[in-house]
Amino acid sequence: MSIKDIKKDEVRGFKISGDAISELLWELLNKSGDMLLDLPDNSDTIFHMHWDREKDELTFYALEFRDPHPVDFKAIDRYIDENLGITTDSVFLPKGKPYRSFSVRETRK
């Protein structure tokens, strides 16, 4: 895609569907996930996102990617939904952290 200056009185925009919104969120969160979750750049982690459109809630998390066993993302999503609830009103608040930490073992109970 070429970069062009915007002209006076020009409007540029797009309108996208729910699937495209999900894709956009996923790509943006993957690019900024390390910063949002206080991880070192290029850490050995895997990200996961779950967008519950009915509840209007988004879950995004990272976990260490060294465990040889398959990750049960649904169990982790369920644990977050049942035990953590909403962790922040904004991921860009100047104080505090927007996330909570817990172990994968806790999600297997």
Side-chain angles (χ1 to χ4, degrees):
M1 189 181 328
S2 64
I3 297 173
K4 299 177 184 174
D5 290 332
I6 197 161
K7 298 175 186 171
K8 184 178 180 180
D9 293 328
E10 177 183 1
V11 175
R12 292 185 193 168
F14 57 83
K15 181 178 179 179
I16 57 178
S17 69
D19 288 341
I21 293 168
S22 184
E23 176 187 51
L24 178 64
L25 281 170
W26 176 248
E27 293 299 328
L28 292 173
L29 287 170
N30 269 281
K31 289 186 185 297
S32 59
D34 290 339
M35 182 223 18
L36 293 170
L37 298 172
D38 291 334
L39 299 169
D41 291 340
N42 302 313
S43 60
D44 192 17
T45 57
I46 185 169
F47 292 121
H48 179 73
M49 178 185 90
H50 174 72
W51 180 17
D52 187 329
R53 295 178 191 188
E54 289 179 17
K55 289 184 177 181
D56 200 24
E57 296 175 349
L58 179 76
T59 302
F60 179 72
Y61 53 87
L63 58 131
E64 190 175 38
F65 193 57
R66 294 185 186 150
D67 190 355
H69 303 289
V71 176
D72 188 350
F73 292 113
K74 288 185 180 188
I76 296 172
D77 291 342
R78 187 172 40 256
Y79 178 86
I80 290 171
D81 190 45
E82 294 172 358
N83 297 283
L84 298 187
I86 302 296
T87 61
T88 186
D89 292 328
S90 171
V91 296
F92 300 110
L93 291 174
K95 291 184 179 181
K97 56 185 182 184
Y99 61 88
R100 300 293 177 267
S101 297
F102 55 93
S103 72
V104 173
R105 287 184 307 280
E106 291 176 76
T107 68
R108 295 179 182 150
K109 294 177 183 177

